[in-house]
Amino acid sequence: MTVLIVTGTGTGVGKTAVTAALAALARDRGGEVAVVKPAQTGLAHGEPGSDTDEVRRLTGLTDLHELARFPAALSPEAAARSAGLPPLDLHEAAGYLAKLARSRDLVLVEGAGGLLVRYGPAGGTLAGLAGWLAAPVLLVTEPGLG
């Protein structure tokens, strides 16, 4: 099973572009690639412009999965709460990802916000998800000094 968690130091740092580049590279090398966005925030259901839409536009990839979507541009936990919806269950997401990875060469998981952004009231984060899956983490940052 090969799962790679793509996260960042925050929003707008280029996680989607990096995810798309990795997906295109793996596919061009003959790999079966899936991209998963566990929680898309800031868009209502059916509204265009999601991160998976952007990956599709950049790569032509169609093996794309969005597990939850919340309209408010907040952390997944806060966005779910503000919409009156249940938060994404990261344990269930881990099972989904493990199953998906059994039939793919690579599963790229693009997080929302940063590595320690909360996905639910129990404090689940992408760091925890990576630990459950024994998956490496790629941290995307903005260029700058320091």
Side-chain angles (χ1 to χ4, degrees):
M1 166 171 71
T2 302
V3 175
L4 176 63
I5 308 289
V6 180
T7 189
T9 54
T11 59
V13 297
K15 295 182 301 287
T16 303
V18 169
T19 299
L22 291 170
L25 179 63
R27 184 200 56 217
D28 289 350
R29 291 184 174 178
E32 290 284 326
V33 183
V35 173
V36 179
K37 181 77 175 184
Q40 174 71 59
T41 62
L43 293 172
H45 284 284
E47 188 176 351
S50 70
D51 291 339
T52 55
D53 289 343
E54 184 67 2
V55 170
R56 180 182 293 111
R57 185 187 72 77
L58 292 170
T59 66
L61 190 71
T62 58
D63 195 354
L64 305 167
H65 308 259
E66 187 180 275
L67 305 184
R69 184 183 283 212
F70 308 107
L74 302 167
S75 71
E77 177 200 14
R81 188 174 55 246
S82 75
L85 297 169
L88 175 69
D89 184 321
L90 283 179
H91 286 288
E92 287 180 17
Y96 181 87
L97 292 166
K99 182 178 178 184
L100 196 62
R102 287 193 286 274
S103 61
R104 310 299 192 285
D105 297 307
L106 177 63
V107 175
L108 295 166
V109 180
E110 182 188 344
L115 183 63
L116 298 179
V117 166
R118 290 172 57 114
Y119 277 70
T125 65
L126 281 181
L129 181 64
W132 297 328
L133 295 169
V137 174
L138 176 65
L139 181 66
V140 179
T141 67
E142 292 183 87
L145 296 175

